[in-house]
DNA sequence: GACGACGTACCGACTAGTTGGTATGTGTTG
DNA sequence: CAACACATACCAACTAGTCGGTACGTCGTC
């Protein structure tokens, strides 16, 4: 169910399974046996590819970075000419991803880092890398939008890029608490409105 | 160490311990034995007061609501005359709480709901109540600020109150990933700037 | 003397990780 | 090309320890 089609090896089947199972149950509550069952492999295969459960955690975070990174790289918002348009379209794109069940649209590394930041530094670092690298893909557009307007604000492009990630992560938590994507979408709307106001564009909403 | 002073009974010692231990290690990784050790009570006492570990989880979320609720109710930002000033001072107050180690300023229910939203509905509901009730304490001020300005925007006071919670929760995740309060403070700054822009107040930052 | 608030001792189920082994290549060398 | 050496991928059963939960005893108080 959670495994891809072709004829993937045990390692990638386990990583695919990890994405869905961990996002559903959390990292600590996910057992190795459960992962193996979801991937359709044996425990021996698990420990052949990963020395420990934590090593799978790191690998899963890296794998998450790769797959989502490729997905965002291929997304249509890059085709827009204006950098601010691209940034805003990125946010629309993120909002559009809020479909299906909560485990399907929430973020693996945001989930994992909450449980492991004090107990598994390697996983925390992998999660940090994943978030920070993704945020970094936004910085160039933000800086270009700032430069176009001759802005020299008190905040940096990086801090705004990270703020967008914070809003998304927080929106996921609200979605988990309330059991639906609705609150998350509302929060993303507020984020978009902020950016429009920040760059002097009038939001659609009437004040 | 984590227990309060007076002469508390085992139940409140366990709840106090739960706040710090769960925020540090997460809910699933926190064992009953560990909780008992941190509270200085025995396992018998634990299961005398709580039928199951999950029942403690629910009680801990409720306890979190009570203690933080009392703390926010007593906070100085309520004394300001203008509703928007109160709202903005609330945000400053939240920023001021970002002190000490990450486990000390992060949110119990935000942590717990991530791990339990699919597996323990009772805990999820308790976390939702906690977040939603806290957000609700902001709604009156937001609505008053809107009314004062004759605003009829596309967003609701409730959605803005929830958005502030989303930003804070997301800021906590970034703080956990990066190991410090700095990123969280930056995100709260962005949140404050949004609200100032939204209500037509010029932020301090030069654009 | 009964009842609530604990403490002590323990159990069964589960969990991360191990062990020893098989199947299938992949070079390499006579 | 055949035979050997060696590596990789994987499997099934097992282990040592952990975890949530239980059974039952004890102490103090009304």
């Amino acid at each position: 169910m959670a495994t891809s089609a072709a004829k993937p090896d045990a390692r990638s089947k386990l990583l695919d399974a990890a994405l869905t199972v961990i996002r559903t149950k959390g990292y600590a509550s996910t057992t190795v046996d459960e992962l193996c069952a979801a991937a359709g492999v044996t425990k021996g295969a698990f420990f052949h590819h990963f020395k420990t459960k934590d090593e799978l955690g790191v690998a899963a975070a890296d794998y998450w970075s790769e797959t989502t990174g490729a997905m965002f790289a291929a997304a249509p918002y890059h085709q827009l000419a204006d950098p601010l348009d691209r940034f805003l379209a990125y946010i629309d794109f993120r909002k559009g991803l809020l479909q299906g069940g909560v485990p399907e649209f929430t973020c693996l590394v945001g989930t994992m880092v909450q449980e492991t930041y004090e107990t598994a530094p390697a996983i925390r670092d992998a999660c940090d890398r994943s978030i920070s690298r993704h945020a970094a893909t936004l910085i160039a557009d933000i800086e270009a939008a700032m430069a176009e307007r001759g802005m020299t604000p008190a905040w940096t492009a990086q801090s705004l890029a990270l703020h967008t990630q914070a809003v998304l992560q927080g929106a996921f938590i609200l979605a988990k608490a309330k059991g639906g994507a609705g609150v998350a979408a509302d929060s993303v709307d507020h984020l978009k409105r902020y950016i429009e106001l920040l760059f002097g564009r009038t939001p659609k909403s009437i004040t």
Side-chain angles (χ1 to χ4, degrees), chain A residues 14-135:
Chain A
L14 281 165
L15 288 173
D16 278 327
L19 298 196
T20 60
V21 179
I22 295 176
R23 282 194 288 172
T24 304
K25 311 193 49 182
Y27 176 74
S29 298
T30 298
T31 68
V32 173
D33 282 317
E34 202 172 355
L35 243 24
C36 293
V41 304
T42 61
K43 215 166 177 179
F46 183 100
F47 285 101
H48 173 72
H49 290 287
F50 309 103
K51 266 211 288 281
T52 64
K53 186 190 172 188
D54 278 10
E55 196 174 294
L56 168 116
V58 173
D62 291 341
Y63 183 59
W64 176 257
S65 268
E66 284 165 35
T67 53
T68 60
M71 181 225 193
F72 285 114
Y77 62 84
H78 294 289
Q79 292 161 9
L80 293 176
D82 181 67
L84 180 58
D85 284 337
R86 281 199 294 272
F87 187 28
L88 291 170
Y90 161 79
I91 294 171
D92 288 335
F93 184 69
R94 291 304 301 255
K95 188 182 171 186
L97 293 177
L98 300 172
Q99 297 294 330
V102 176
E104 288 149 56
F105 64 74
T106 48
C107 174
L108 176 82
V109 295
T111 302
M112 280 207 298
V113 78
Q114 285 247 41
E115 298 179 66
T116 57
Y117 74 104
E118 279 278 321
T119 50
I123 296 180
R124 187 206 53 211
D125 291 345
C127 293
D128 179 27
R129 274 198 306 272
S130 180
I131 296 174
S132 297
R133 268 183 207 168
H134 178 63

Side-chain angles (χ1 to χ4, degrees), chain A residues 77-94 134-135 137-146 155-165 168 188 191-192 194-196 198-199 201:
Chain A
Y77 62 84
H78 294 289
Q79 292 161 9
L80 293 176
D82 181 67
L84 180 58
D85 284 337
R86 281 199 294 272
F87 187 28
L88 291 170
Y90 161 79
I91 294 171
D92 288 335
F93 184 69
R94 291 304 301 255
H134 178 63
T137 65
L138 305 171
I139 292 181
D141 282 343
I142 298 174
E143 278 178 345
M146 290 163 71
W155 44 272
T156 64
Q158 193 196 26
S159 85
L160 184 56
L162 286 171
H163 176 64
T164 63
Q165 302 314 303
L168 289 162
V188 174
L191 173 64
K192 188 180 181 188
Y194 171 49
I195 291 158
E196 289 170 329
L198 207 51
F199 286 92
R201 216 177 258 200

